[in-house]
Each structure stands twice: as structure tokens, then as C-alpha cells.
């Protein structure tokens, strides 16, 4: 029997991990959110990557671009507990974490858990609360536990914080410190919709008589499935030269003349985990340089601080990140 030429042979490169169910669930989540949200594909996909990477996300955009609704709809596609906290200037740490209340019957103090004890927490306008209240999130976001009156309380997985903030409204806001920003996997910038999307938004709003039917969105994933996919993503293959590539990007931020503050090791781990999730969504069980480049901007943009000189010149962090990615040779 004559051997077939190599170009005509049917060569199948089978994935070592079964990622098809994950892809199907991701598409189902997008479809459910798409019942109400028009466009904003980048925000939705980055939020899903945050979920799969077990990381928190900060969503920034002007009022009215569906930041809060999208995060709420994503939570609705998950069969887990959801809690929404509206941050205000008079909010106290106990309003988030809970407080000890004296029980007259037992003659003892009882800990009443706050709204942070949930699976998906949406914090609306996180920069509205003062530093004392923001600091209440430090331990729970980084270590997924709370220590109250000497007792440690572990948060039930999955535990994800999605926070929104308005970039232009400065009155009555408190800037998030770098230590807290570093606890967010992503900072997702939400822009205005395109003209085509704006027309579609108006048409759909008119057809449904200005009523949002949140009940139309059904759960797609449960807590056990989320945990399974988060563990599955940890098995995605990352070649050594790609790990070096990530480290080179982070190292460049620390020695960059345009930057006053570079990225921490937490940022390099964030890029690694996000790149794995991005690869999995594409149906690949291995990471490529494109996965790394796609996630780098969202991971770094809230962690880097420009020098005062560059800031005065109108430079942006995004421009510096682009320059870094152009400078470092892409491994092949």
C-alpha cells in the first residue's frame, strides 16, 4: 500500500485535557448574559476569565455602560450565593464583615455575619467608601478568610469580588491604595458602545417596553463545576520559555524609566493564571504568547504608576505596557 503524502494525511492533535464542556459552559454564560446585554464582549470575557482563574475584578467605566448589570447577570448564570454591597462614605467595616451581638438568652456574644459572606460579591462604587472600610477587604480578598475576635472564618469557594468604580466623578470618592488594587486580578475598562450596538440597545429597550427581565437569565454553572474548571485550568501546559517571557515583562516594569512603581510577583502569577484560562476558553491545553499578551494589559494597568514627568507629558500606563510588549522578544 502506497504511503500518503504528509500534507494529505488527516493529522489530529488531540487535547490532553477535555476542555469541550468548559467551552460549552462559557458559550452558554455568554448567551445568557446576551439576553439582556448588547456588546461589551471584552468585559464579559475578562469577567469569565476572572471566574475561571479564581481572581477578583475591578470594573471601571462612566455611568450607564452596564458595569453593575453585567456583573450581576454573570452572578445570575452561576448557581451560587450572590451579595451586592453599595459602598457609601458612611459605610463602616462592620457593615461588610459583620459584628458581634450580645445574646441575652445564652449570655454570650454571637457573631452575625455580614454580606461579604457569599460566593459572588458585587461592590458598587468601591471608591465611595473611606480607607477604613476599604481596608476591611484586604484580608478577605487576599486570603479568602476573615479574622473576627480572634476567630478565623474561611470563605466558602468560589469566592469572587467584582467591584465597580467611576473614573470621572471625583467628589466624595476615595482613591484605592496600591495595596488594594494589587489584590484585583484584572482592571477592566468599559467603553461606550459602538453606534451599531447603541441602535440595537435602543431597539431592544423599545421592544421590551423598558423592562429588564432578570428572570430570563438561568444558571449555567454550580459551585462544584466552577471548582472543577478552576482545578482543570491549573493543568494547562506552560512551557519554560513562556514563564521566562512573563518574568521578563514584569522585570521590565521595575526597571522602566517611565514608571515610578512596577509590578509585584502577584502580577506575574496573575498573568500566568489568566493566560491559562484564556487558553482553555479557546479549547487549548497549552498557553501561547498571544494568551499572555491578551491578558497582560488588564493585569498590569492598575498596578503600574507613571513617573510625575511622564504623567505631565500626557503619557498613559497603557502606552507603556504596549511599548514593553513590543520591546520584549516573543518566544517561538
Amino acid at each position: 500500500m502506497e504511503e500518503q503524502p504528509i500534507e494529505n494525511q488527516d493529522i489530529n492533535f488531540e487535547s490532553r485535557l477535555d476542555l469541550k464542556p468548559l467551552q460549552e459552559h462559557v458559550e452558554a454564560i455568554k448567551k445568557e448574559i446576551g439576553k439582556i446585554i448588547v456588546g461589551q464582549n471584552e468585559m464579559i470575557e475578562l469577567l469569565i476569565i476572572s471566574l475561571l482563574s479564581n481572581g477578583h475584578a475591578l470594573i471601571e467605566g462612566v455611568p450607564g455602560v452596564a458595569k453593575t448589570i453585567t456583573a450581576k447577570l454573570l452572578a445570575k448564570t452561576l448557581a451560587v450565593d450572590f451579595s451586592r454591597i453599595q459602598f457609601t462614605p458612611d459605610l463602616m467595616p462592620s457593615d461588610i464583615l459583620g459584628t458581634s451581638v450580645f445574646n441575652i438568652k445564652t449570655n454570650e456574644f454571637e457573631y452575625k455575619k455580614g454580606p461579604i459572606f457569599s460566593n459572588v460579591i458585587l461592590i458598587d462604587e468601591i471608591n465611595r467608601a473611606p480607607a477604613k472600610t476599604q481596608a476591611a477587604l484586604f484580608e478577605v480578598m487576599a486570603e479568602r478568610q476573615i479574622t473576627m475576635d480572634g476567630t478565623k472564618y474561611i470563605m466558602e469557594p468560589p469566592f469572587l469580588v467584582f467591584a465597580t468604580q467611576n473614573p470621572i466623578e471625583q467628589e466624595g470618592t476615595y482613591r484605592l491604595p496600591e495595596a488594594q488594587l494589587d489584590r484585583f486580578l484584572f482592571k477592566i475598562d468599559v467603553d461606550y458602545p459602538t453606534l451599531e450596538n447603541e441602535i440595537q440597545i435602543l431597539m431592544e429597550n423599545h421592544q421590551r417596553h423598558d423592562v429588564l427581565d432578570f428572570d430570563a437569565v438561568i444558571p449555567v454553572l454550580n459551585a462544584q463545576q466552577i471548582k472543577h474548571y478552576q482545578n482543570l485550568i491549573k493543568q494547562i501546559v506552560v512551557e519554560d520559555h513562556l514563564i521566562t517571557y512573563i518574568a521578563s515583562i514584569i522585570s521590565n516594569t521595575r526597571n522602566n524609566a517611565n514608571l515610578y512603581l512596577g509590578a509585584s510577583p502577584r502580577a506575574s502569577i496573575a498573568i500566568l493564571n489568566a493566560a491559562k484560562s484564556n487558553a482553555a476558553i479557546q479549547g487549548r491545553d497549552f498557553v501561547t504568547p498571544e494568551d499572555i499578551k491578551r491578558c497582560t494589559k488588564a493585569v498590569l494597568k492598575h498596578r503600574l504608576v507613571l513617573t510625575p514627568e511622564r504623567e505631565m507629558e500626557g503619557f498613559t500606563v497603557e502606552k507603556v505596557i504596549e511599548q514593553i510588549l513590543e520591546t520584549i522578544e516573543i518566544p517561538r
Side-chain angles (χ1 to χ4, degrees), residues 84-95:
R84 177 179 172 178
I85 310 170
Q86 181 70 51
F87 268 28
T88 55
D90 61 347
L91 198 72
M92 297 298 289
S94 57
D95 296 327

Side-chain angles (χ1 to χ4, degrees), residues 3-11:
E3 193 177 338
Q4 273 188 307
I6 287 176
E7 60 265 24
N8 294 331
Q9 286 181 14
D10 182 22
I11 301 172

